[in-house]
């Protein structure tokens, strides 16, 4: 499966942004999906994940209540709606796919087999 993120950009603190990830080359419903991010000088960190059906979602505490992950299985897309953005949200955001889980989704990057190239999110304060 190949993953391609889009939707990143430069926004002001308090603004909203929606990231998209298009999957191709595989059966999308075989994968739980996750979003991770990496800021300069920091390790990659978990942001949000969603199960194969979309019925289970899980968020990092730092984004809970501000970010929403959804998926469109018919179009092999996963989205990350980001509201009330803060300067600390600035990072490269990565979409990832995990074939190993059926009813849930993991926060561990090591469990994700496939990764996109990333999209940059910059937040000015």
């Amino acid at each position: 499966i190949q993953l391609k993120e889009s939707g990143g950009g430069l926004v002001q603190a308090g603004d909203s942004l929606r990231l998209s990830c298009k999957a191709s080359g595989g059966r999308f419903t075989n994968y739980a999906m996750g979003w991770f991010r990496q800021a300069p000088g920091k390790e990659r960190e978990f942001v949000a994940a969603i199960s194969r059906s979309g019925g289970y979602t899980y968020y990092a505490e730092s984004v809970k209540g501000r970010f929403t992950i959804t998926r469109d299985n018919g179009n092999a897309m996963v989205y990350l709606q980001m509201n009330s953005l803060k300067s600390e949200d600035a990072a490269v955001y990565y979409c990832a796919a995990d074939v190993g889980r059926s009813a849930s989704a993991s926060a561990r990057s090591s469990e994700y087999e496939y990764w996109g190239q990333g999209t940059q999110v910059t937040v000015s304060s």
Side-chain angles (χ1 to χ4, degrees), residues 76-98:
M77 298 286 295
V78 62
Y79 303 98
L80 185 69
Q81 177 67 42
M82 304 187 294
N83 298 331
S84 302
L85 281 161
K86 305 175 181 180
S87 57
E88 53 262 44
D89 294 318
V92 177
Y93 282 71
Y94 298 91
C95 172
D98 172 15

Side-chain angles (χ1 to χ4, degrees), residues 8-113:
L10 171 63
V11 296
Q12 292 190 333
D15 284 352
S16 298
L17 202 59
R18 189 177 82 155
L19 304 183
S20 300
C21 174
K22 173 66 177 176
S24 60
R27 190 182 180 106
F28 187 62
T29 51
N30 283 350
Y31 301 90
M33 301 297 295
W35 285 98
F36 293 78
R37 67 187 181 187
Q38 187 167 19
K42 295 187 177 181
E43 294 195 354
R44 189 172 298 187
E45 66 173 358
F46 169 73
V47 177
I50 190 167
S51 62
R52 295 179 181 182
S53 69
Y56 172 92
T57 56
Y58 184 55
Y59 297 92
E61 284 297 322
S62 60
V63 306
K64 199 174 290 185
R66 299 188 298 122
F67 291 11
T68 303
I69 187 171
T70 57
R71 65 188 294 162
D72 177 354
N73 284 344
N75 290 301
M77 298 286 295
V78 62
Y79 303 98
L80 185 69
Q81 177 67 42
M82 304 187 294
N83 298 331
S84 302
L85 281 161
K86 305 175 181 180
S87 57
E88 53 262 44
D89 294 318
V92 177
Y93 282 71
Y94 298 91
C95 172
D98 172 15
V99 72
R101 288 182 179 250
S102 58
S104 63
S106 176
R108 299 178 184 174
S109 60
S110 60
E111 295 195 22
Y112 288 80
E113 294 87 2

